[in-house]
């Protein structure tokens, strides 16, 4: 049937509206298909408005309806003005992989790693409690806020926290609440694509600060504060997305001092707190923040399931008050059953079991992807292996067009994400972000084999980075 549909589509595209198409008999002979198959192909294309079947007369290219009532929406182009930057990259980042493709991209756990049964049971219990459907505190349940505050260390209390519908919502809120349009925000380079998009959507000027295997460079951070007058620095100190670095112990005090000296805030995105693979994660920066410079963001979505849109953001003093006020304006409060289900889950033995199993599974997947790279594409093995998180930051040969490579890889049936969009300015070298958590480890060798074909078939041009 696919051949018949493709043939009719091609004929309809060449012929004008109303043109006669081959009969069922002609199509049956041409494709050696049964009349039933041809009729079904015609029915599907007719339902899509490509062709129309006229009983007793034949099949014709569909004629667009001449409807004077069709609205003219072209005025919106002028009214809306320029599109916000970053929209295309975010759409690509959140796109679902096509059937048959192996995903080495994405920001969430493979469904096999998600504690769906435990979450479902928790949500069922929550939904059965009538009080969960009532209006609660706009800042969120006190017991859930207290849990997030304990996770942040001794620096924050329940009253400092506000519950958000996911980490991205909390991030966008913080950028709007702590800055104004035209202000400067400093970010690590490279950094989370969603932070760049949210900052630009808020009308902020984004200035990158170099980072290496030990995290952001304190000397460069201090220089950036001095040069720009910025009052906010967005940072992922733990298993940073996309490059996987953790802020080294000897740099933590220096970064804190640079922020304090500038009279600024550090927005700590602790998205990977539950994604440790090797060793133990250092405490959040917010755990040692006597003067309220750290704004702390923690989400459950990355470590549990995409549908668990529960996070918390907190700060001390007037900054915390502004965050809570901004969240109220955004959406009043997070749904009560979702909050209660999240609390039920993270305070149950299922949470401990999930984190333990997740550590083992992520190590297996990370190591399987590294082994596949060493076998088929050793030049793409990262310079530093991340001790947690979901991604590898793979260097490409000099001059490789990472965007073209991602397109070629998709044609080979493996989905990867180019490194260029993760930079606020020109990237110093081409990279791919390869996610090891989105596909089973048994698929990683085949995924890298497909990627090697894409890189080696001469379809990936070299280009000067811009």
């Amino acid at each position: 049937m696919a051949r018949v549909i493709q043939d009719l589509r091609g004929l309809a595209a060449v012929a004008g509206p109303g043109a006669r198409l081959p009969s069922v008999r002609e199509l049956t002979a041409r494709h050696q298909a049964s009349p039933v198959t041809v009729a079904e192909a015609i029915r599907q294309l007719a339902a899509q408005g490509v062709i129309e079947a006229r009983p007793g007369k034949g099949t014709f290219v569909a004629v667009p309806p001449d409807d004077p009532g069709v609205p003219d929406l072209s005025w919106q182009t002028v009214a809306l003005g320029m599109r916000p930057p970053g929209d295309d990259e975010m759409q690509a980042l959140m796109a679902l992989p096509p059937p048959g493709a192996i995903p080495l991209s994405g920001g969430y756990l493979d469904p096999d790693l998600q504690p769906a049964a435990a979450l479902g049971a928790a949500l069922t219990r929550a939904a059965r409690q009538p009080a969960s459907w009532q209006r609660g505190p706009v800042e969120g349940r006190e017991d859930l806020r207290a849990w997030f505050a304990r996770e942040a260390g001794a620096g924050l209390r329940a009253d400092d926290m506000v519950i958000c519908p996911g980490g991205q919502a909390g991030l966008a809120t913080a950028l709007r609440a702590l800055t104004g349009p035209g202000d400067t925000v400093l970010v690590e380079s490279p950094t989370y694509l969603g932070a760049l998009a949210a900052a630009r959507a808020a009308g902020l000027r984004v200035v990158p600060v170099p980072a290496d295997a030990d995290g952001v460079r304190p000397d460069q951070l201090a220089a950036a504060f001095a040069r720009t007058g910025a009052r906010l620095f967005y940072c992922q100190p733990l298993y940073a997305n996309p490059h996987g670095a953790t802020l080294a112990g000897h740099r933590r005090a220096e970064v804190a001092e640079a922020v304090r000296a500038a009279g600024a805030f550090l927005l700590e995105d602790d998205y990977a707190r539950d994604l440790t693979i090797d060793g133990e994660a250092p405490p959040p920066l917010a755990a040692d923040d006597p003067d309220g410079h750290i704004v702390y963001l923690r989400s459950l979505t990355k470590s549990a399931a995409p549908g668990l849109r529960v996070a918390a953001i907190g700060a001390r003093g007037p900054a915390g008050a502004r965050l809570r006020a901004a969240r109220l304006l955004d959406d009043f409060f997070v749904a009560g059953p979702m909050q209660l289900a999240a609390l039920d889950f993270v305070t149950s033995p299922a949470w401990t079991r999930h984190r333990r199993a997740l550590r083992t599974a992520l190590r297996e997947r990370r190591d399987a992807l590294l082994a596949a790279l060493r076998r088929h594409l050793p030049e793409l093995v990262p310079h530093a292996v991340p001790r947690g998180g979901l991604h590898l930051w793979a260097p490409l040969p000099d001059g490789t067009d990472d965007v073209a490579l991602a397109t070629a890889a998709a044609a080979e049936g493996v989905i990867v994400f180019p490194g260029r969009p993760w930079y606020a300015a020109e990237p110093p070298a081409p990279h791919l972000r390869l996610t090891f958590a989105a596909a089973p480890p048994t698929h990683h060798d085949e995924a890298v084999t497909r990627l090697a074909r894409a890189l080696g078939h001469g379809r990936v041009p070299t280009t000067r980075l811009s």
Side-chain angles (χ1 to χ4, degrees), residues 111-210:
D112 290 344
L113 303 182
Q114 298 170 20
L119 289 173
L123 187 57
T124 298
R125 289 189 292 270
R128 288 174 177 165
Q129 296 195 28
S132 72
W133 294 97
Q134 304 307 311
R135 187 183 71 178
V138 294
E139 63 270 22
R141 294 180 60 99
E142 183 177 7
D143 44 10
L144 183 57
R145 288 185 284 116
W147 182 87
F148 276 109
R150 289 193 299 272
E151 291 285 300
L156 293 168
R157 305 162 303 156
D159 289 345
D160 299 320
M161 311 298 292
V162 58
I163 304 300
C164 312
Q168 187 68 22
L171 171 57
T173 293
L175 291 173
R176 292 196 315 274
L178 303 177
T179 63
D183 286 355
T184 296
V185 59
L186 305 182
V187 301
E188 297 168 283
S189 184
T191 194
Y192 170 48
L193 178 56
L196 295 177
R200 289 163 178 158
L204 303 180
R205 175 174 172 254
V206 183
V207 173
V209 181

Side-chain angles (χ1 to χ4, degrees), residues 23 70 82 125 132 149 269 289 297 333 346 391 446:
S23 66
V70 174
M82 187 171 57
R125 289 189 292 270
S132 72
D269 187 349
D289 176 40
L297 174 61
F333 51 83
V346 298
H391 316 289
E446 174 60 23

Side-chain angles (χ1 to χ4, degrees), residues 363-453:
R363 179 183 295 113
E364 183 182 9
R365 292 177 183 228
R366 181 199 62 184
D367 294 350
L369 183 54
L370 284 168
L373 288 172
R374 294 186 180 108
R375 188 177 302 115
H376 302 293
L377 286 172
E379 66 272 28
L380 268 61
V381 174
H383 301 306
V385 175
R387 298 171 62 83
L390 304 173
H391 316 289
L392 299 181
W393 189 235
L396 294 172
D398 288 343
T400 302
D401 187 327
D402 56 332
V403 175
L405 175 56
T407 301
E412 293 287 350
V414 58
I415 308 302
V416 299
F417 208 87
R420 196 176 314 178
W422 305 86
Y423 288 93
E426 297 84 357
H431 287 79
L432 291 179
R433 193 194 72 162
L434 303 179
T435 302
F436 51 79
T442 52
H443 292 186
H444 287 168
D445 194 82
E446 174 60 23
V448 176
T449 299
R450 297 180 185 185
L451 180 58
R453 285 202 301 266

Side-chain angles (χ1 to χ4, degrees), residues 174-405:
L175 291 173
R176 292 196 315 274
L178 303 177
T179 63
D183 286 355
T184 296
V185 59
L186 305 182
V187 301
E188 297 168 283
S189 184
T191 194
Y192 170 48
L193 178 56
L196 295 177
R200 289 163 178 158
L204 303 180
R205 175 174 172 254
V206 183
V207 173
V209 181
D212 56 26
D214 287 335
V216 69
R217 293 178 51 184
D219 58 334
Q220 296 289 343
L221 178 62
F225 274 127
R227 183 171 61 84
T228 65
R231 291 295 177 264
L232 180 64
F233 169 48
Y234 169 76
C235 180
Q236 298 175 97
L238 187 65
Y239 319 134
N241 179 12
H243 55 90
T246 293
L247 184 63
H250 66 276
R251 287 188 177 179
R252 289 168 65 100
E254 296 178 71
V255 167
E257 174 56 26
V259 173
R260 187 203 63 76
F265 294 101
L266 186 154
L267 174 51
E268 179 179 10
D269 187 349
D270 202 19
Y271 86 99
R273 177 58 47 184
D274 307 307
L275 302 176
T276 296
I277 297 175
D278 300 324
E280 297 300 323
L285 298 178
D288 184 20
D289 176 40
D291 299 319
H293 287 278
I294 306 296
V295 178
Y296 182 74
L297 174 61
R298 168 83 179 276
S299 172
L300 297 175
T301 304
K302 300 290 188 185
S303 55
L308 188 62
R309 306 299 302 170
V310 175
I313 191 165
R316 297 169 61 190
R322 290 204 181 187
L323 289 172
R324 293 187 288 277
R327 287 303 317 152
L328 173 62
L329 291 175
D330 279 348
D331 46 28
F332 289 168
F333 51 83
V334 175
M338 187 63 73
Q339 292 190 57
L340 183 55
L343 179 67
D344 181 315
F345 176 58
V346 298
T347 56
S348 72
W351 174 239
T352 302
R353 290 194 299 269
H354 168 64
R355 293 181 67 186
R356 186 184 305 119
L358 185 59
R359 176 190 284 249
T360 301
L362 290 179
R363 179 183 295 113
E364 183 182 9
R365 292 177 183 228
R366 181 199 62 184
D367 294 350
L369 183 54
L370 284 168
L373 288 172
R374 294 186 180 108
R375 188 177 302 115
H376 302 293
L377 286 172
E379 66 272 28
L380 268 61
V381 174
H383 301 306
V385 175
R387 298 171 62 83
L390 304 173
H391 316 289
L392 299 181
W393 189 235
L396 294 172
D398 288 343
T400 302
D401 187 327
D402 56 332
V403 175
L405 175 56

